[in-house]
Amino acid sequence: MTSRSRKTQPIFTDTIARATQECIDRHIPFVAFMFPDDESLRFMASLPDDEGRSIPSAEAEHCFFISRFSGDEEYTAGINAELNAEDILELVSADPGLDFGSPEIYPSLYSTNQLNYREGLTKIRSRIRKIGGKGVLSRIKSLFTTLSPIESAELYFSANPNAFRYLCYTHESDLWLGATPELLLETDAASGTVSTMAVAGTRPIDTPAETDWDEKNVEEHLVVVDFIKDKLSSHSLAVEASEVMELDTGDVTHLVTLISGAGDDPDFPAIMHDLSPTPAVAGAPRDLALTEIDVFETHRRHCYAGYIGLRTGDDYIAYVNLRCAFGARAMLDGYEGFVWNLYAGGGIMGASEVDSEWHETELKMAPLYRCLTAEPRHASGGKTFSTVNPVTARFTSNRLPF
């Protein structure tokens, strides 16, 4: 599978684009999303409750959810399918001053320092060489752009037809844009089945097809496969796994194994909770690897490598939140726009090399970086700063003329 645009018509219709912009301007929780191979964009929104929270309702037939990586929140934020795009436009037309206030969470103004990344990787690798397991170290690239989130999402969605694509806002998370290829969980309550996948092991997309995968990537992949199979088995599910295959996701190719489980009346939320985070984004053993992330990563992951998805009735479909960026309004050197933190990480094994792992994260960030820094169609200009100047940058809740 390759990530190439299949559409010539805009993905964001005029109505959804205007509704999305109103939601961004007025801090209304919303999500615009597409499942893999979807031909049209879906949109839903819901107003926060009296305490300003965005909580998926157990009574809602359809709802979207987005979790933090740490899983330490009191509840998983999300959006109920209560309002469509036309409803939003009618709502703001009736109440032009409507605004639910900006969140108290902001991206970092600093990109990850390569020396800090090198130090963290070296120490994690040393642990693995002594006692085994796997580590995962992520990094961020901070940039400022005047390109609107809708324009970036249009480009990014078009370029990734095989991924779950979304642009969403909640007060708990602020603004996120992503296109993730990794399924965490898809359920079928009627048959008691769970489908998931292990995605781990990475190499550049232009690697010759006849080239064998190296031992480091194969071993890294098998760690994730074994973890997922063990977790499903612990819920008394009969587990099956496919042969190892390849998955092309833009500038890189991954190893992927499809895994399923079946049983009597599985507890789907409990299984989803147990699977996240997998060793693909956290490492193994998990408790030790999570401690290393806390110690060696110089940024907060927020919702990166958490899970996102939808519940429809009793069924769930959730994806690992990868190939994503966390954004917020800002002003820089007189320009109005958005600061974004692009996230990418890589699996660390005993044979990992610092420069190779850093390059891998660059490749993973590249498709989204291109979409965030592309020439905008609006007339306000396309000034882009790949590294934000924290002295002159400031976050703002002012409505911007996009």
Side-chain angles (χ1 to χ4, degrees):
M1 293 182 286
T2 57
S3 298
R4 297 179 180 176
S5 175
R6 301 176 181 176
K7 296 176 68 67
T8 57
Q9 295 298 317
I11 288 176
F12 279 77
T13 65
D14 177 69
T15 299
I16 291 181
R18 289 189 293 121
T20 298
Q21 191 61 61
E22 292 290 358
C23 287
I24 294 173
D25 290 343
R26 302 169 187 274
H27 307 100
I28 299 172
F30 81 95
V31 61
F33 66 95
M34 302 177 77
F35 287 110
D37 297 319
D38 265 0
E39 291 294 327
S40 59
L41 186 68
R42 313 182 196 200
F43 176 94
M44 65 172 70
S46 58
L47 302 184
D49 65 16
D50 293 340
E51 298 180 33
R53 302 174 301 177
S54 302
I55 303 180
S57 171
E59 288 74 37
E61 179 65 18
H62 304 282
C63 63
F64 171 85
F65 48 83
I66 177 168
S67 79
R68 295 178 188 168
F69 170 75
S70 61
D72 61 355
E73 63 264 66
E74 295 181 4
Y75 57 91
T76 299
I79 296 118
N80 299 308
E82 297 174 351
L83 304 171
N84 60 29
E86 290 81 3
D87 294 332
I88 290 295
L89 296 178
E90 291 179 7
L91 183 67
V92 300
S93 176
D95 186 358
L98 183 68
D99 192 330
F100 290 97
S102 57
E104 298 178 357
I105 177 174
Y106 300 103
S108 172
L109 298 178
Y110 296 90
S111 298
T112 301
N113 183 285
Q114 193 166 0
L115 291 177
N116 291 337
Y117 180 87
R118 177 181 294 272
E119 179 183 9
L121 189 149
T122 301
K123 291 182 177 179
I124 294 172
R125 183 179 62 188
S126 177
R127 180 268 293 181
I128 294 168
R129 288 176 175 176
K130 291 177 181 177
I131 65 172
K134 176 189 174 182
V136 175
L137 192 64
S138 73
R139 53 176 283 232
I140 60 171
K141 179 179 290 187
S142 184
L143 65 86
F144 174 89
T145 181
T146 58
L147 195 68
S148 82
I150 297 170
E151 289 174 309
S152 291
E154 176 77 30
L155 294 170
Y156 200 39
F157 289 8
S158 297
N160 292 275
N162 301 313
F164 177 77
R165 296 148 284 174
Y166 75 95
L167 174 68
C168 80
Y169 168 85
T170 71
H171 190 78
E172 293 83 351
S173 64
D174 210 328
L175 195 64
W176 283 81
L177 169 63
T180 172
E182 184 170 346
L183 179 72
L184 177 68
L185 181 85
E186 184 172 9
T187 72
D188 182 356
S191 62
T193 59
V194 172
S195 300
T196 182
M197 59 173 61
V199 180
T202 305
R203 67 184 187 184
I205 191 74
D206 56 4
T207 303
E210 64 274 11
T211 304
D212 290 335
W213 284 80
D214 60 41
E215 184 178 350
K216 178 263 181 186
N217 280 290
V218 172
E219 183 181 357
E220 177 187 345
H221 182 74
L222 292 177
V223 168
V224 181
V225 171
D226 290 342
F227 171 88
I228 293 175
K229 290 168 67 175
D230 288 346
K231 287 297 180 183
L232 294 183
S233 295
S234 72
H235 285 268
S236 300
L237 301 180
V239 180
E240 295 183 359
S242 72
E243 298 295 323
V244 180
M245 300 175 288
E246 292 186 356
L247 175 67
D248 295 345
T249 61
D251 291 20
V252 297
T253 300
H254 298 293
L255 291 175
V256 58
T257 297
L258 306 181
I259 304 171
S260 63
D264 296 327
D265 195 24
D267 186 339
F268 295 140
I271 295 171
M272 184 163 56
H273 181 269
D274 284 354
L275 286 175
S276 181
T278 73
V281 294
R286 186 157 65 178
D287 289 345
L288 175 57
L290 291 174
T291 298
E292 290 173 334
I293 288 171
D294 287 339
V295 171
F296 297 120
E297 289 188 357
T298 56
H299 57 273
R300 294 186 62 188
R301 290 195 177 191
H302 297 294
C303 296
Y304 166 70
Y307 54 81
I308 52 175
L310 290 102
R311 177 180 58 77
T312 300
D314 295 327
D315 280 316
Y316 296 79
I317 182 166
Y319 294 83
V320 183
N321 193 18
L322 303 174
R323 308 296 191 272
C324 57
F326 166 33
R329 295 182 181 280
M331 293 193 66
L332 180 61
D333 294 350
Y335 292 91
E336 297 176 325
F338 287 79
V339 166
W340 292 95
N341 286 170
L342 284 74
Y343 285 82
I348 302 170
M349 304 297 291
S352 292
E353 299 177 356
V354 176
D355 291 341
S356 176
E357 297 297 337
W358 182 269
H359 180 60
E360 178 182 314
T361 59
E362 282 289 310
L363 291 176
K364 290 177 177 178
M365 290 180 179
L368 181 50
Y369 181 85
R370 290 192 292 266
C371 295
L372 290 171
T373 59
E375 185 69 22
R377 291 191 298 270
H378 56 73
S380 62
K383 188 77 170 177
T384 299
F385 301 81
S386 60
T387 302
V388 179
N389 179 352
V391 176
T392 58
R394 64 182 178 86
F395 293 104
T396 174
S397 60
N398 292 336
R399 296 179 62 184
L400 304 181
F402 294 142

